[in-house]
Amino acid sequence: MAVFDTPEEAFGVLRPICVQLTKTQTVENVERLQAQLQVVSDSALQELQQYILFPLRFTLKTPGPKREHLIQSVVECITLVLSSTCVKEQELLQELFSELSACLYSPNSQKPAAVSEELKLAVIQGLSALMHSAYGDIILTIYEPSILPRLGFAVSLLLGLAEQEKSKQIKMAALKCLQVLLFQCECQDHPRSLDELEQKQLGDLFASFLPGLSTTLTRVITGDFKQGHSIVVSSLKVFYKTVSFIMADEQLRRVSEVRAKPAVEHRVAELLVHREANWVKNTGDRLTVLIKKIIECVSVYPHWKVRLELIDFVEALLLKCSQSLVESAGPLLKALVSLVNDESPDVQAQCNNILRRFADEKVVVGSRAFADILSENLHSLATSLPRLMNSQDDQGRFSTLSLLLGYLKLLGPKVNFVLNSVAHLQRLSKALIQVLELDVTDIKIVEERHWNSEHLSTSPETSASRPWPQMQRRYFRFFTDERVFLLLRQVCQLLGFYGNLYLLVDHFMELYHESVVYRKQAAMILNELVVGAAGLGVENLHEKHIKTNPEELREIVTSILEEYTSQENWYLVTCLEAEEVGEELTMMRSGLQALASGAHTCQATSPPTFSKPSPTICSMNSNIWQICIQLEGIGHFAHALGKDFRLLLMSALYPVLEKAGDQTLLISQAAISAMMDICQACGYDSLQQLINQNSDYLVNGISLNLRHLSLHPHTPKVLEVMLQNSDASLLPLVADVVQDVLTTLDQFYDKRTTSFVSVLHALLAALAQWFPDTGHLGQLQEQSVGEEGSHLSQRPASLEKGLENTTTAEDIEQFVLNYLKEKDVADGNVSDFDNEEEEQSDPPEVDENDTDPGVPPPLPVQIQIATDVMERCIHLMSDKSLKIRLKVLDVLDLCVVVLQSHKNQLLPLAHRAWPSLVHRLTNDDPLAVLRAFKVLRTLGGKCGDFLRSRFCKDVLPKLAGSLVSQAPISARAGPVYFHTLAFKLQLAVLQGLGPLCERLDLGEGDLNKVADACLIYLSAKQPVKLQEAARSLFLHLMKVDPDSTWLLLNELYCPQEFTPPHPSLHPVQLRGATGQQNPYTANVLRLLQELQ
C-alpha cells in the first residue's frame, strides 16, 4: 500500500528531490527519486507526471557527455513512471519517443551506439512502456506522416539490435518492442481496434519500412541455430503480421491509382509509399524470394515451436494476401502440406486444423489460381518423385511423401482434374509403382516353410484380439523406414477416396497386366484404393464429398477379385519341384543336424537344384510376395465391403483356404490373416464358424476337384485347413469326401502322396480331438487285471493278496479265462481270437438291437475312417521318402488313439502293421526311429499284452544294444552332443522304456535286460538329462518288480550293512561296497529313498 495517496502529499515529498536532481544530475539523485516513487500511489503519480518527468528529461537533454550509468538510471526511472501512468498529451508522447530513441543514437554510424547491454535493454523497455502508456487515440499521433523519420529511426534501431546483438534477452526485447511499435501487441491491457481508414493510413506508413524490415527479419530467421528458437519464433511473428497487414488484399482494394498529395514537407513526402498495382507486384516478387528462403530454413528447423509458428505464418499470408502474394502461394502451400505428418503431434494437429479450415472455407478449391498452383506442384512432384526416392535418405523421402499427401488433402475432390489428365495420371502412377518396388533377393522368403501343419490353426480368441490392419513386414528397394510405407498407403487411400475409382482401378489394372515387374506394386495400390474408397481410416477434410456407392464398390471388388484368383495370377511357382520332391531326405536331415548351429533346412547345397542362378530365387520370392499381397487385398476388400462381402464368399473363400494350407510360411500367414479379416468383416465369431456355415459349397468344390486332381493339385489343402479349423459337426459332410481322398490316394500314391498324407494327418488329429476316448476307465481296469495275472505267475504272495478280495469261484474262473485270452493274443493267435470273440460276444449284442444275429452293428463314422486310414498307413510306412514315412508314422500314432476303444478293429491292424513298424525301429533313419518309438509307446499304452512277446522278441534286444553302445560316447561327450540326433534318440528311449515296461508288464528276464542296459546311465558321468531319464525308468521298474530293482540297485551301491537278526544266520554280502563312494552313489540313494 502506497504511503502518499494524494497529489499534495506526494508533491511535498517529491519536490525537494526533483529540484535537487535538476540542479545536480547524479545517479544517486535519480535513485533517490526512484525510491520515493515507490511509495506514491498511481493516481498521485498521474497528476504529477509531467512534473516528475521534467528533471529526468532535462537530464537527458543536458548537453555534453554523460555517464552511461546515469542515462540508464534516468531511463529506468522514466520507465517506472510510464508504467504507472498514462500519457495524454500528443507533444509529450512524441518528445519522449524521440528522447528515448536518441539514447542509442550514434552520429558516426547507422548502427546503434556502442553502449552497454544494460542501457540498450533499459531504452527498449522504456520505448515499450511509452507505447503502452499512450492513452486512447493519442497513440495514433506517433503514426502521422510528419513523424515518419523518427518512427523509421526507432524501427531501424530495434531491427539492428535484434540482428546484431549477442544477448538473447536484448534480441527478444527488441522484437517484442518492434511488435508494439508496429501495432501488433498481443497483451490484454493494450487493445486498440482500427477502422478501415486508420488501417489504410498505417499500411501506407508501414510500407516505407517493409524493405528493410523484411530483409533484416529474414536474415535473423535464417541465421545461426544457436541463437535459440524463441528468437526465430518472434521474428516469424513480426514478419508475417507486418507483411499480412501491409499487403492485405482488403486494404489494397481501397487504394486509389491516383496518389494524393501529402501535407508534409518534401523530404518526408519522398519517404512515403503509394501502394498502387505496380508497387504491389514488384514488392510481391521481392517478398516471394524472401518467403522461399524463410520456408526452406524453417520447415526443417529442429525445434517444433518454430515449425508450429510456420503454420500460422502460412495461414496469415494465404488468407490475407492470396492476391497480392499469389507468386508465393506455391511455396506457402508446399510448406503447409509438408508438415502434415510432422513428428511433433502439436504441429501435426495444428496443420490438420488449418487444412480443414482451408477446406471448409474453400481457400484452395474455391480459388482457381490456388488449385492450378497445387495441380502444377503435384505434377512436378510426381515427375521428380522416383528420382527423389532414389537419391534422398529416409528422412528426405518422408518429407517428400508428406508433401504429396498434403497436396492430395488440400485438393480433395479437385484431384480429379489432375487425374483426368493422361500425363498427370501416368506420371503419378509410374512414380508410385517405382517407389513401391519390393526387394525380393532375400532367400529366407522362399526358405521359410511349414513342416508342421498344426501351426496353421488359429484360435477364436485371436480373432477378437487381433488389431486391423495387420500387415506382413516387407522390404523395399528404395527405402527402409516403415513410416515411408505408411505414407504411401495414405496417399493411395486418399486417391481412392477423392479420385474417380473406376478410372484409377482401370489404369492400375492395365499396369498389373502390363508387366510382371509392376504387378506387386499395382496390387498393393489397388488394395489401398479400395480401402480408401470405403473411407476406412481416411480423414475427410471436405465434408460435402460423397463416398463411393456400395454397389459400385462391390462391382469393382468383384472384378479385382476375379483377376487376383485367376489361374495365371493365383497358382504361381513358389518353390523348386526338385527341392520339394527329390530331396526331402537330405533337407530333413540337414535341418535336424543344424539345430545346434542355427542353420536353416534349405541350406543343404549338395543337390544340383541349388546351383540355379539367383534370378530363379528372386522370381519365386516375387511370386510369394504377389500371392501375399493379393491375399492381403482380399482381407482389405472384406473390411471395405463389410457384411456385403458375404455375397463374394463363394468365389473368395475356397482360394484363400487353398493358400492357408500352403507350405510357404509367408503365404499361409497371409491367408490366415485374410480369413480373420473375413471373419471380422462378415460378422463370424471365429474361423470355425466361418468354415462350418460355408462348408456345404466348400465340400462340393473339393469333391468336384478331386475328380480332376491333375488340374486342381491344391485341393487336399482346402480339406486340410477345414479340418484344422472346424469341429465334429463337419464330419457328416466330409465323410464322403474322405472316401474320395482315400480312393484318389490309391490311384496317385506315387505322385501326390505328400499332400494326401498331410490331409490324413489333419483328419486324424481332428478326429482325436473331436472324439476323445470315453472308455479310458475300462482300459485301466483291464490293465490292472492283466498286471494282477502277471503277478500271479511271478509271485505267489501277490496271488494271496489278490484272493483276499475274491468272493466266488466264478470270479476266479472268469479271471483265468481272461488271462488265457490275453495270452493267446500276445502269442499272435489273432484270427482264432477274433472268431471266438465274434461267436461268443456278437450274438447277444445283436439280439438287443437287430433282429438278424448274423449282421454286426455298424461302426461309428470316425472308427471306420480311422480303420481305412490305418490300412493305407501300413502300406505307406515303407515309402522311399523319409518325409512321407515320418508323416505316416504320425498318422499311425493318431489312428491308434482314435481306435483305442475298438479293440476288434485296432488289434488286427496293429498285427499287420507290426513288421513294418519293427523295420522302422531297427533299420531306418534315426529320425524315423524316434517317430516309430513314439508310435510304439502309444501302441503299448493302448494294446497292452498284445505287444508283450512281440516287443520282447523283435524290439527290446535292439534298443538295449543301442543304449549300451551309446553309453560310453555320451559319458565323455561335451555340450554340443546335447543337440545331436543320437542324444535325442537316447533320451527318447530312456524316457519311453519305463512306461512301456510297466504297461506291457514284462517278465523278470526282460526286465533284467532293460535294467542291465540302463544301469550305466545312473552314472554321474552321463549327461544330467540322461541321468534324470534313467531314474524315471527305474521308478517304473520299481512298480513292476520292486524286489529285483532293490537288489539290483544295492548291487551297485549298498548304503548300509545288513546284520542278521540271529547269530545262527549267515550275514548277507552284496557287491555294492558299503561306505565307498562311486559314480552311481547319488542316483542310487535317491532311487532307494523313493523305494522306501
Side-chain angles (χ1 to χ4, degrees):
M1 183 71 181
V3 176
F4 306 106
D5 293 330
T6 63
E8 293 77 10
E9 293 175 345
F11 182 77
V13 175
L14 295 175
R15 182 176 180 278
I17 303 174
C18 291
V19 172
Q20 183 65 30
L21 178 60
T22 307
K23 293 179 179 179
T24 309
Q25 292 91 24
T26 63
V27 176
E28 290 77 14
N29 289 335
V30 176
E31 289 177 348
R32 285 178 57 202
L33 175 60
Q34 193 169 353
Q36 288 298 327
L37 291 175
Q38 302 286 347
V39 296
V40 177
S41 66
D42 291 348
S43 59
L45 276 179
Q46 182 66 49
E47 295 293 329
L48 300 173
Q49 182 192 55
Q50 294 199 34
Y51 182 81
I52 298 168
L53 289 175
F54 175 79
L56 296 171
R57 294 175 59 197
F58 181 77
T59 302
L60 293 178
K61 293 178 180 178
T62 302
K66 293 180 280 291
R67 290 185 302 163
E68 286 185 11
H69 193 36
L70 174 62
I71 299 174
Q72 179 186 340
S73 299
V74 171
V75 172
E76 288 175 351
C77 193
I78 291 174
T79 303
L80 177 62
V81 174
L82 293 176
S83 62
S84 302
T85 61
C86 295
V87 177
K88 299 182 177 180
E89 296 184 8
Q90 172 184 345
E91 184 180 355
L92 177 62
L93 179 65
Q94 294 177 352
E95 289 179 357
L96 276 173
F97 184 79
S98 301
E99 290 163 5
L100 287 173
S101 301
C103 292
L104 298 180
Y105 173 65
S106 175
N108 301 324
S109 174
Q110 295 182 352
K111 298 180 181 180
V115 296
S116 66
E117 292 182 349
E118 289 79 6
L119 178 56
K120 293 176 182 177
L121 186 61
V123 171
I124 294 170
Q125 291 171 345
L127 283 172
S128 181
L130 174 64
M131 298 302 295
H132 281 91
S133 68
Y135 182 76
D137 293 340
I138 195 71
I139 192 171
L140 294 178
T141 60
I142 290 289
Y143 302 102
E144 293 180 353
S146 59
I147 309 297
L148 181 61
R150 283 183 275 181
L151 187 63
F153 171 73
V155 170
S156 62
L157 180 71
L158 292 171
L159 285 172
L161 291 172
E163 180 183 10
Q164 297 162 12
E165 283 299 313
K166 294 182 179 179
S167 169
K168 183 178 178 181
Q169 188 179 8
I170 293 178
K171 281 176 171 285
M172 284 297 299
L175 290 169
K176 293 287 185 186
C177 186
L178 195 59
Q179 276 186 271
V180 176
L181 202 59
L182 294 175
F183 233 85
Q184 301 168 6
C185 186
E186 298 173 343
C187 58
Q188 296 297 323
D189 58 346
H190 194 235
R192 177 65 173 86
S193 58
L194 301 173
D195 58 28
E196 293 183 356
L197 180 61
E198 290 171 343
Q199 288 180 6
K200 179 182 176 301
Q201 291 174 350
L202 283 179
D204 291 337
L205 195 70
F206 291 163
S208 303
F209 311 143
L210 186 58
L213 187 135
S214 58
T215 53
T216 303
L217 288 175
T218 301
R219 288 196 297 270
V220 174
I221 293 168
T222 59
D224 192 354
F225 286 167
K226 295 178 182 177
Q227 65 183 332
H229 73 277
S230 56
I231 305 294
V232 181
V233 169
S234 296
S235 301
L236 275 173
K237 188 169 293 185
V238 176
F239 185 98
Y240 75 74
K241 286 196 172 185
T242 305
V243 171
S244 63
F245 183 77
I246 298 170
M247 303 295 290
D249 295 335
E250 290 186 6
Q251 281 194 44
L252 296 177
R253 287 194 203 102
R254 295 192 293 269
V255 175
S256 63
E257 290 296 326
V258 180
R259 181 174 183 176
K261 188 176 180 179
V264 292
E265 59 183 80
H266 179 69
R267 293 182 62 186
V268 176
E270 290 180 348
L271 299 175
L272 294 173
V273 171
H274 179 55
R275 295 181 289 170
E276 40 80 29
N278 287 332
W279 180 89
V280 171
K281 184 179 185 306
N282 294 331
T283 304
D285 292 342
R286 294 187 179 95
L287 283 173
T288 299
V289 176
L290 299 178
I291 288 171
K292 286 181 179 178
K293 287 184 179 179
I294 292 173
I295 289 172
E296 288 175 3
C297 176
V298 175
S299 59
V300 294
Y301 200 90
H303 202 282
W304 66 272
K305 287 187 177 179
V306 176
R307 302 195 301 276
L308 187 64
E309 195 65 34
L310 178 61
I311 297 175
D312 296 335
F313 177 97
V314 173
E315 180 189 18
L317 296 183
L318 283 178
L319 289 178
K320 296 181 180 179
C321 314
S322 59
Q323 297 177 9
S324 59
L325 295 179
V326 67
E327 295 298 325
S328 301
L332 288 170
L333 288 171
K334 181 177 179 180
L336 181 64
V337 297
S338 66
L339 298 174
V340 167
N341 287 293
D342 193 87
E343 60 185 17
S344 167
D346 294 328
V347 175
Q348 196 175 123
Q350 179 66 7
C351 187
N352 285 322
N353 290 337
I354 299 302
L355 288 176
R356 185 174 290 279
R357 180 183 174 187
F358 281 9
D360 293 341
E361 298 179 7
K362 297 188 176 180
V363 173
V364 175
V365 178
S367 169
R368 179 66 181 270
F370 279 6
D372 290 344
I373 290 171
L374 271 181
S375 300
E376 188 59 36
N377 286 356
L378 180 59
H379 180 264
S380 175
L381 181 60
T383 304
S384 58
L385 190 60
R387 175 180 56 80
L388 293 174
M389 291 295 105
N390 199 17
S391 60
Q392 291 178 324
D393 59 6
D394 277 2
Q395 185 58 44
R397 297 183 186 104
F398 182 78
S399 301
T400 303
L401 289 170
S402 296
L403 190 61
L404 176 61
L405 181 66
Y407 284 154
L408 295 175
K409 282 187 175 181
L410 271 177
L411 279 170
K414 290 278 186 180
V415 75
N416 282 313
F417 291 112
V418 180
L419 300 179
N420 288 335
S421 165
V422 176
H424 283 64
L425 180 57
Q426 285 183 348
R427 288 185 181 275
L428 181 60
S429 61
K430 286 296 176 69
L432 292 174
I433 290 287
Q434 184 170 345
V435 171
L436 282 168
E437 185 175 352
L438 286 167
D439 179 10
V440 294
T441 57
D442 189 3
I443 194 172
K444 289 183 179 178
I445 297 173
V446 76
E447 275 186 343
E448 292 180 324
R449 305 182 67 74
H450 270 306
W451 295 117
N452 192 352
S453 59
E454 281 89 359
H455 295 168
L456 292 175
S457 58
T458 305
S459 62
E461 289 78 7
T462 311
S463 173
S465 63
R466 176 180 169 271
W468 186 86
Q470 178 179 345
M471 304 183 70
Q472 292 169 314
R473 172 73 176 176
R474 56 196 65 175
Y475 300 92
F476 298 87
R477 279 192 61 189
F478 296 110
F479 62 89
T480 57
D481 193 343
E482 190 69 21
R483 297 181 304 159
V484 175
F485 180 49
L486 293 177
L487 274 181
L488 286 166
R489 292 182 60 204
Q490 291 177 25
V491 166
C492 297
Q493 289 170 9
L494 276 179
L495 286 173
F497 187 70
Y498 291 122
N500 184 334
L501 190 60
Y502 281 108
L503 173 67
L504 289 168
V505 169
D506 286 346
H507 181 74
F508 283 103
M509 268 301 180
E510 288 180 6
L511 293 175
Y512 182 89
H513 293 132
E514 183 177 325
S515 171
V516 177
V517 178
Y518 298 158
R519 194 160 295 166
K520 296 180 293 299
Q521 301 94 296
M524 278 190 275
I525 295 170
L526 286 168
N527 297 345
E528 300 302 335
L529 286 176
V530 173
V531 170
L536 299 179
V538 177
E539 183 183 9
N540 183 14
L541 299 179
H542 306 267
E543 295 181 355
K544 294 184 180 180
H545 174 67
I546 302 174
K547 293 196 300 184
T548 307
N549 184 285
E551 292 184 2
E552 294 178 354
L553 186 60
R554 189 172 70 245
E555 291 176 1
I556 291 172
V557 166
T558 303
S559 65
I560 300 175
L561 194 58
E562 289 175 356
E563 193 64 40
Y564 280 0
T565 56
S566 62
Q567 189 80 16
E568 61 273 15
N569 296 323
W570 196 249
Y571 301 105
L572 303 174
V573 178
T574 58
C575 64
L576 298 172
E577 288 301 323
E579 175 190 349
E580 188 76 4
V581 177
E583 293 164 358
E584 295 87 347
L585 177 62
T586 304
M587 290 172 61
M588 292 297 290
R589 279 183 175 172
S590 64
L592 283 162
Q593 291 171 357
L595 286 174
S597 59
H600 201 279
T601 56
C602 288
Q603 291 177 349
T605 57
S606 57
T609 307
F610 284 95
S611 63
K612 289 188 178 182
S614 58
T616 304
I617 298 296
C618 290
S619 65
M620 288 191 295
N621 287 346
S622 177
N623 291 340
I624 289 170
W625 273 120
Q626 182 184 332
I627 294 172
C628 289
I629 291 166
Q630 291 171 175
L631 284 164
E632 181 182 278
I634 293 174
H636 287 355
F637 300 161
H639 278 283
L641 294 179
K643 293 195 175 181
D644 285 347
F645 193 77
R646 286 181 178 236
L647 301 174
L648 305 179
L649 277 180
M650 290 187 68
S651 58
L653 186 56
Y654 190 95
V656 173
L657 285 173
E658 277 186 339
K659 296 305 177 185
D662 199 283
Q663 288 297 312
T664 304
L665 182 64
L666 283 179
I667 294 177
S668 62
Q669 287 178 342
I672 290 293
S673 179
M675 290 167 65
M676 303 301 291
D677 290 335
I678 292 172
C679 282
Q680 293 181 20
C682 297
Y684 295 108
D685 295 333
S686 63
L687 291 183
Q688 178 179 315
Q689 187 181 14
L690 171 68
I691 291 172
N692 286 351
Q693 293 193 10
N694 297 279
S695 57
D696 48 356
Y697 71 85
L698 286 174
V699 170
N700 182 58
I702 294 171
S703 180
L704 292 175
N705 291 339
L706 280 174
R707 300 172 188 175
H708 307 283
L709 193 61
S710 58
L711 298 178
H712 306 282
H714 303 284
T715 303
K717 294 178 182 177
V718 181
L719 181 58
E720 182 178 350
V721 176
M722 288 180 65
L723 291 167
Q724 289 166 355
N725 296 280
S726 189
D727 57 14
S729 62
L730 184 67
L731 187 58
L733 279 172
V734 300
D736 293 337
V737 174
V738 170
Q739 295 302 319
D740 292 342
V741 169
L742 294 175
T743 304
T744 311
L745 173 61
D746 295 339
Q747 296 173 353
F748 298 98
Y749 68 91
D750 54 338
K751 297 177 182 179
R752 305 288 177 185
T753 308
T754 303
S755 58
F756 281 116
V757 171
S758 296
V759 174
L760 297 180
H761 184 274
L763 172 64
L764 268 298
L767 293 179
Q769 180 183 356
W770 299 341
F771 303 100
D773 180 33
T774 56
H776 186 62
L777 181 61
Q779 278 192 7
L780 291 179
Q781 291 173 351
E782 287 181 9
Q783 185 178 355
S784 64
V785 170
E787 290 177 357
E788 194 173 357
S790 175
H791 296 167
L792 173 68
S793 62
Q794 293 181 19
R795 295 189 304 274
S798 299
L799 174 61
E800 294 176 4
K801 184 177 180 180
L803 291 176
E804 290 176 359
N805 297 325
T806 59
T807 54
T808 63
E810 287 77 6
D811 293 335
I812 299 175
E813 181 183 359
Q814 186 61 43
F815 168 75
V816 175
L817 289 174
N818 289 338
Y819 173 73
L820 292 174
K821 289 178 185 178
E822 291 176 359
K823 188 174 184 302
D824 288 338
V825 173
D827 291 339
N829 299 325
V830 181
S831 58
D832 296 341
F833 169 80
D834 289 341
N835 294 333
E836 184 180 354
E837 187 79 18
E838 292 177 4
E839 292 172 2
Q840 295 181 1
S841 303
D842 288 349
E845 294 177 2
V846 173
D847 287 342
E848 295 177 2
N849 304 315
D850 200 337
T851 56
D852 188 358
V855 179
L859 291 172
V861 178
Q862 71 273 17
I863 301 302
Q864 185 60 54
I865 290 175
T867 302
D868 295 339
V869 171
M870 192 166 176
E871 286 182 354
R872 269 71 174 186
C873 290
I874 293 171
H875 299 292
L876 292 173
M877 264 199 295
S878 57
D879 193 275
K880 61 181 179 180
S881 167
L882 174 61
K883 180 180 178 182
I884 294 176
R885 295 201 302 274
L886 294 174
K887 202 73 171 178
V888 168
L889 286 168
D890 286 337
V891 176
L892 185 65
D893 188 67
L894 291 169
C895 287
V896 175
V897 174
V898 174
L899 293 173
Q900 60 181 318
S901 58
H902 289 70
K903 295 295 178 60
N904 290 349
Q905 283 68 42
L906 174 60
L907 295 182
L909 290 171
H911 172 70
R912 292 169 54 194
W914 181 254
S916 184
L917 182 62
V918 170
H919 190 72
R920 302 283 79 75
L921 282 164
T922 58
N923 191 23
D924 205 340
D925 187 278
L927 281 173
V929 175
L930 268 175
R931 208 67 60 89
F933 190 74
K934 178 187 175 186
V935 177
L936 178 64
R937 289 184 59 181
T938 306
L939 274 173
K942 310 305 179 186
C943 298
D945 291 344
F946 175 78
L947 288 183
R948 185 187 304 124
S949 63
R950 303 164 187 264
F951 171 75
C952 297
K953 176 183 176 183
D954 300 331
V955 178
L956 184 57
K958 293 288 184 72
L959 292 181
S962 174
L963 287 175
V964 172
S965 61
Q966 284 293 119
I969 300 173
S970 59
R972 60 175 180 269
V976 177
Y977 182 73
F978 302 151
H979 302 281
T980 63
L981 204 54
F983 173 78
K984 293 174 183 177
L985 188 56
Q986 277 179 288
L987 186 62
V989 173
L990 285 171
Q991 290 174 339
L993 264 181
L996 264 178
C997 292
E998 184 179 353
R999 289 168 184 169
L1000 298 180
D1001 198 11
L1002 297 187
E1004 186 175 357
D1006 296 321
L1007 288 176
N1008 289 338
K1009 288 180 185 178
V1010 174
D1012 292 340
C1014 300
L1015 274 177
I1016 193 170
Y1017 289 96
L1018 293 175
S1019 171
K1021 298 177 182 179
Q1022 295 289 338
V1024 176
K1025 286 189 176 181
L1026 296 184
Q1027 293 182 51
E1028 293 173 354
R1031 287 202 302 270
S1032 173
L1033 183 145
F1034 276 96
L1035 288 175
H1036 284 284
L1037 294 184
M1038 289 177 185
K1039 297 178 182 178
V1040 182
D1041 193 350
D1043 298 338
S1044 297
T1045 307
W1046 178 88
L1047 184 60
L1048 189 65
L1049 294 174
N1050 276 278
E1051 290 285 331
L1052 276 178
Y1053 175 72
C1054 185
Q1056 61 183 358
E1057 293 185 2
F1058 298 102
T1059 305
H1062 192 273
S1064 61
L1065 298 174
H1066 295 288
V1068 177
Q1069 295 292 333
L1070 298 176
R1071 282 187 292 176
T1074 305
Q1076 293 184 4
Q1077 297 290 328
N1078 61 51
Y1080 303 96
T1081 302
N1083 288 317
V1084 169
L1085 285 175
R1086 292 180 63 174
L1087 288 171
L1088 290 176
Q1089 288 174 359
E1090 291 284 344
L1091 192 57
Q1092 291 176 356

